[in-house]
Amino acid sequence: MLNSSRSWGRCLSSPVSSCPCSMTDVVLLQGLLLLLPFAALLLYWYSVTVQYFCKVAFFNCWIAAMATLLSPYAALRGRTVENMKILRAAILPLKRFFGIKMQVWGSEHLNIKEPYVMVCNHQASLDLMGMVEIMPDRCVPIAKKELMYMGTVGWACWLSGIIFINRQKTGDAIDVITQTLRVWIFPEGTRNQGKSMLPFKRGAFHLAVQAQVPIIPIVISPYWNFFSSKDKKFIPGTCTIRILPRIETQGLSPKDVPDLTETVRKAMVDCRHLWGREQGPERSVRPGGGQEIKAILPLV
């Protein structure tokens, strides 16, 4: 027992090269450290679930990091809708990182100078990528007030002119339309990845009627083929965005809002139902400029 203790004592006090047991441990440890990155890469490559969590984490971290980095610059300009250009530029690269192709149909419906309200179906956080793809200049989303308290993300949104509004009050939003021309609203009120759209809340339609501006419905295709929070799937795919013809509200009154809401919802639901049977030219344009000349974006 005493001899064994002395042997270990000499081993610990000797250089690593003179102690075979220590050398073996070091080699094994180095080998494990070298294998860990390869094991993680293989796990990511072959496990759709691991890919899902890694990509969702990257998505959220990218948004938070860009908000933190860009907010000081935006703060120098003050709170202005022009800062939405910075926010858009920060989110646009995400589609390339995730291998998402964007197809935009009907972009000619956005080539109008008058104010309008854009309403869009809401499926997941990925809707941000579709929103910045087609959002015209001087357009801001209307968001839940809770978003304003999400640290630097909320600060960046506030600096970009995003409207945090009480859903029961539309006066602020009417002022926004007067000043910024356009607003973007998700009338379902919450995320929905089901096969049908949820009933629409009427706030967006009351706003359009009170301001007497047209409504432009936007329909983003289902993400089922490449994204599902239920199945933990997030793979490369194609997202199609359809911009439907505007629906006028001139001459309508608050009593017409229920019928207007159902008319818009039916047009958007019908668009989703006919998605697979309709075909047309694949085109994309950055609203506010030029003609429709950009086709499907390549995978990167």
Side-chain angles (χ1 to χ4, degrees):
M1 180 74 175
L2 182 60
N3 291 337
S4 176
S5 298
R6 288 175 180 173
S7 175
W8 276 106
R10 288 195 299 271
C11 185
L12 292 171
S13 62
S14 302
V16 174
S17 59
S18 63
C19 182
C21 60
S22 296
M23 187 64 174
T24 303
D25 291 342
V26 171
V27 171
L28 287 174
L29 181 59
Q30 290 178 340
L32 287 174
L33 291 176
L34 289 173
L35 286 174
L36 279 177
F38 292 104
L41 185 61
L42 287 174
L43 188 61
Y44 176 84
W45 189 262
Y46 288 104
S47 173
V48 174
T49 302
V50 172
Q51 289 181 25
Y52 169 83
F53 284 110
C54 288
K55 289 181 178 181
V56 168
F58 179 83
F59 181 92
N60 292 326
C61 289
W62 178 271
I63 298 295
M66 290 297 102
T68 303
L69 291 172
L70 297 175
S71 289
Y73 172 72
L76 294 176
R77 306 170 64 178
R79 186 170 191 251
T80 170
V81 68
E82 295 301 323
N83 284 332
M84 275 302 301
K85 295 179 180 179
I86 302 175
L87 207 59
R88 285 174 56 196
I91 297 174
L92 278 171
L94 285 172
K95 65 188 176 188
R96 299 185 181 277
F97 296 153
F98 297 136
I100 305 298
K101 295 179 181 179
M102 290 289 182
Q103 299 177 346
V104 181
W105 294 2
S107 52
E108 67 274 5
H109 299 306
L110 294 181
N111 293 333
I112 55 177
K113 296 181 179 180
E114 63 189 79
Y116 49 81
V117 173
M118 304 173 74
V119 294
C120 181
N121 58 312
H122 192 16
Q123 301 178 76
S125 297
L126 268 63
D127 295 340
L128 286 175
M129 293 192 290
M131 183 175 70
V132 300
E133 186 71 20
I134 65 170
M135 179 176 282
D137 291 337
R138 299 191 63 78
C139 176
V140 294
I142 292 181
K144 296 179 180 179
K145 198 168 185 178
E146 293 81 1
L147 180 62
M148 186 168 58
Y149 304 108
M150 294 180 61
T152 55
V153 174
W155 188 35
C157 291
W158 182 83
L159 288 170
S160 300
I162 290 178
I163 304 303
F164 304 98
I165 188 173
N166 185 326
R167 293 177 182 175
Q168 304 302 321
K169 298 179 181 179
T170 58
D172 292 343
I174 293 176
D175 292 340
V176 169
I177 288 182
T178 303
Q179 298 172 14
T180 66
L181 298 182
R182 307 165 183 110
V183 295
W184 181 295
I185 303 177
F186 295 106
E188 290 175 283
T190 188
R191 301 173 189 176
N192 169 40
Q193 295 186 31
K195 294 184 178 180
S196 182
M197 294 183 192
L198 298 175
F200 283 2
K201 298 183 182 301
R202 295 176 181 173
F205 306 95
H206 276 292
L207 169 62
V209 168
Q210 290 182 35
Q212 292 289 284
V213 298
I215 295 171
I216 298 184
I218 310 292
V219 185
I220 300 177
S221 63
Y223 299 148
W224 305 324
N225 291 333
F226 64 90
F227 178 85
S228 171
S229 56
K230 180 180 179 180
D231 299 330
K232 302 298 181 288
K233 178 177 68 174
F234 194 170
I235 59 177
T238 299
C239 175
T240 303
I241 305 169
R242 288 184 183 245
I243 303 166
L244 304 183
R246 65 182 180 179
I247 297 175
E248 298 291 348
T249 63
Q250 285 287 340
L252 298 184
S253 65
K255 68 179 182 181
D256 299 310
V257 167
D259 289 340
L260 175 64
T261 303
E262 288 307 310
T263 298
V264 174
R265 184 180 181 277
K266 184 178 185 303
M268 295 172 68
V269 169
D270 289 347
C271 177
R272 275 182 51 138
H273 287 169
L274 296 174
W275 213 287
R277 287 157 37 184
E278 292 184 357
Q279 295 183 357
E282 296 162 351
R283 50 194 175 180
S284 177
V285 68
R286 201 165 295 283
Q291 299 177 347
E292 301 164 340
I293 56 176
K294 187 171 67 173
I296 303 176
L297 294 169
L299 282 173
V300 176

